[in-house]
């Protein structure tokens, strides 16, 4: 038996012991949110709730794995039946069993972002749009428009007018492309990531038997990071919990910073309106930061009108005061940060425990140069993810053919690897295959190599060799399939195309090892697509201990470091000028400032240049951020609260 009273603080304990009903848990930064959720699940199971009747929805696979692992450790048994994972993962499981209600085959494929971009490009061509004759958005931008429209439930025309007004004159064409994109996905038996959520919601809305089955099944529904949910996700959780009404949502309105992705701040703010009988709990005890850092964060966020009032209280004793660093210019700002990083390392703080945060990636340009000049290793939290690299997608394209013979995009990618097979030739080959009732069988035989003209015959012959080797390997385990692709010509192709062929081959060997854990090809491919499509997922597990982290504030959410530098704390940068033009923009920018400050455990430096001459606009004066100015002297709602805890660098 778990001693909950000993393991939990007085704020966490009532949440964990609450019997049920709609619950709203406002969990401040560093307040033990994950611990509370974990013990809540353990308590439910200890009281007799079967794991298969619990749904725990998260935003990252890592968060789900961590919580489920901790639950197993607490209760001492497996929780394999518990539905724990990202919203997209749960949607995928639901749709695999029920997609036929929406007119899909159960073996539908999942498009990652690159697949979706290619298909949208195809739709642009098929719509007869001459994208070069006059300004027209690229396929990935059109995809963003479609995605934002879907996730915010906003008419596509309004999305274009409000977010992309410079494309307003092409709205009708964009709408036509969006309609064709929807039709093409249905015809090809594929869904993109937005479809997973949309179709999950539509399934629950339009098929009462399915809705009732899932609503009856899940006795307890728990949602992590609820402030980041969009309209679709919130409604899905409402539908699934409609029978038993045991819906617990956990989040922090002060850390709602993803409106640009479609997150709806109103979901958490209006939860008490949607559930008038809900119980509200607040976790305000902070285990991360010093009192001085929390004092700054509390005073800053108090300026936001639209919020659940709370005050973070530190468990830790007195620490070091935050440091305000006005620099002559951006170069001196970079010099200060680099020099202080070296001093912190000499004092015993590992580089991996130091982060530099900024509002936009270009803010780090000068600092990157200075760190490089001084030989200080650093890691930028951006770049191509493992499963989105070209050679990984090449190999999985082969495998996708055998999971869904109608996957046009996979055929074209695999074919395009060979000499003399460009887009036009791949399209000819696809038309040849699509006319067959058995596309896989159509690859066998000499007719296939002649289907696109003499120039492509040799390349098609090489493709045929690899394809047939895979097709004839019935019963071979997944790692061996990847090995067959390497041995059948892809290893040579790597050497022909890439100077780093050896490291890319090692990646594929790692992919083969990863595939061994899956029971089927379909399960493996679905997981790859889900992993590659999760936008901005935390990569803390990839961070090296001997490298300073350079990160946008958005990517830093949920993480912590001993020392944090926030650079470019200037008007127009923090807050970002263009963000202030959005409805609610200033309050969301202040929440970003709050998130950045509360990442720091011991040391917090707020840096800004006094002049900016590096952006091609002359030697212009720069004002400190309003989020700094409003702290000292600080007045809010009739109360004078002077912020006297600054250390001013240079004084």
């Amino acid at each position: 038996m778990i001693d909950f009273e000993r393991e939990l603080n007085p704020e966490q304990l009532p949440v964990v012991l609450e019997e049920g009903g709609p619950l709203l848990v406002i969990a401040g930064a560093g307040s033990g949110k994950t611990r509370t959720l974990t013990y809540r699940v353990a308590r439910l199971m200890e009281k007799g709730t079967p794991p298969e009747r619990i749904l725990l929805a998260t935003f990252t696979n890592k968060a789900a794995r961590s919580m489920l692992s901790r639950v197993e450790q607490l209760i001492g048994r497996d929780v394999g039946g518990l539905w724990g994972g990202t919203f997209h993962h749960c949607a995928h499981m639901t749709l695999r069993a029920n997609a036929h209600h929406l007119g899909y085959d159960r073996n539908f494929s999942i498009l990652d972002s690159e697949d979706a971009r290619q298909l949208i490009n195809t739709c642009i061509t098929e719509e007869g749009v001459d994208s070069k004759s006059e300004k027209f958005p690229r396929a990935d931008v059109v995809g963003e428009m479609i995605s934002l429209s879907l996730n915010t439930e906003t008419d596509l025309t309004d999305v274009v007018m409000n977010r992309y007004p410079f494309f307003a004159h092409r709205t009708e064409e964009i709408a036509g492309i969006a309609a064709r994109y929807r039709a093409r996905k249905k015809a090809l038996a594929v869904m993109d990531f937005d479809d997973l959520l949309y179709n999950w919601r539509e399934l629950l809305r339009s098929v009462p038997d399915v809705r009732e089955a899932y609503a009856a099944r899940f006795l307890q529904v728990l949602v992590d990071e609820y402030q980041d949910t969009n309209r679709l996700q919130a409604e899905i959780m409402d539908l699934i919990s409609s029978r038993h009404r045991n819906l617990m949502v956990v989040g922090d309105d002060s850390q709602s910073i993803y409106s640009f992705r479609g997150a709806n701040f109103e979901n958490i703010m209006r939860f008490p309106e949607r559930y008038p009988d809900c119980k509200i709990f607040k976790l305000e005890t902070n285990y991360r930061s010093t009192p001085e850092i929390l004092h700054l964060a509390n005073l800053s966020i108090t300026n936001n009108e639209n919020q659940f009032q709370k005050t973070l209280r530190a468990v830790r004793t007195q620490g070091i005061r935050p440091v305000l660093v006005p620099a002559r210019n951006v170069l001196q700002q970079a010099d200060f940060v680099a020099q202080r990083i070296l001093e912190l390392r000499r004092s015993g703080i590992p580089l991996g425990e130091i982060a530099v945060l900024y509002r936009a990636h270009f803010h780090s340009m000068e600092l990157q140069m200075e760190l490089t000049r001084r030989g200080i290793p650093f890691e930028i939290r951006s770049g191509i993810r493992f499963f989105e690299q070209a050679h990984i997608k090449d190999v999985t394209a082969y495998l996708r053919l055998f999971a869904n013979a109608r996957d046009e995009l996979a055929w074209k990618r695999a074919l395009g690897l060979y000499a003399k097979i460009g887009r036009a030739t791949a399209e000819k080959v696809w038309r040849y295959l699509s006319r067959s009732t058995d596309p896989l069988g159509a690859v066998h035989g000499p007719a296939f190599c002649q289907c696109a003209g003499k120039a492509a015959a040799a390349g098609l012959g090489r493709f045929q060799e690899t394809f047939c080797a895979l097709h004839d390997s019935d019963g071979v385990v997944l790692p061996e399939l990847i090995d067959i692709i390497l041995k059948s010509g892809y290893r040579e192709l790597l050497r022909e195309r890439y100077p780093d062929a050896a490291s890319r081959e090692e990646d594929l060997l790692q992919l083969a090892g990863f595939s061994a854990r899956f029971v089927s090809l379909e399960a493996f491919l679905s997981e790859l697509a889900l992993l590659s499509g999760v936008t901005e997922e935390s990569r803390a597990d990839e961070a090296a201990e001997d490298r300073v982290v350079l990160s946008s504030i958005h990517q830093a959410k949920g993480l912590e470091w001993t020392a944090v530098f926030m650079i470019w704390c200037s008007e127009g940068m923090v807050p970002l000028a263009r963000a202030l033009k959005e409805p609610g923009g200033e309050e969301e920018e202040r929440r970003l400032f709050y998130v950045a400050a509360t990442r720091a455990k011991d040391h917090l430096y707020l840096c800004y240049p006094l002049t900016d001459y590096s952006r091609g606009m002359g030697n212009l004066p720069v004002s400190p951020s309003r989020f700094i100015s409003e702290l000292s002297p600080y007045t809010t709602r009739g109360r004078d609260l002077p912020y006297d805890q600054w250390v001013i660098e240079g004084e």
Side-chain angles (χ1 to χ4, degrees), residues 14 120 122 154 371 554 609:
I120 292 172
T122 299
T154 304
L371 294 177
H554 283 102

Side-chain angles (χ1 to χ4, degrees), residues 387-399:
F387 295 106
E388 294 175 340
Q389 296 177 102
H391 53 296
I392 302 297
K393 290 174 66 65
D394 289 345
V395 168
T396 55
Y398 283 107
L399 302 178

Side-chain angles (χ1 to χ4, degrees), residues 313-333:
R313 298 182 297 273
V315 168
R316 300 178 58 190
T317 56
Q318 183 175 0
I320 301 167
R321 290 184 292 170
V323 180
L324 185 64
V325 188
R328 286 194 304 274
N329 52 50
V330 69
L331 298 178
Q332 190 186 53
Q333 175 182 251

Side-chain angles (χ1 to χ4, degrees), residues 115-128:
D115 293 331
R117 186 189 65 80
Q118 291 184 22
L119 186 55
I120 292 172
N121 260 329
T122 299
C123 294
I124 291 172
T125 301
E126 292 177 346
E127 281 289 297

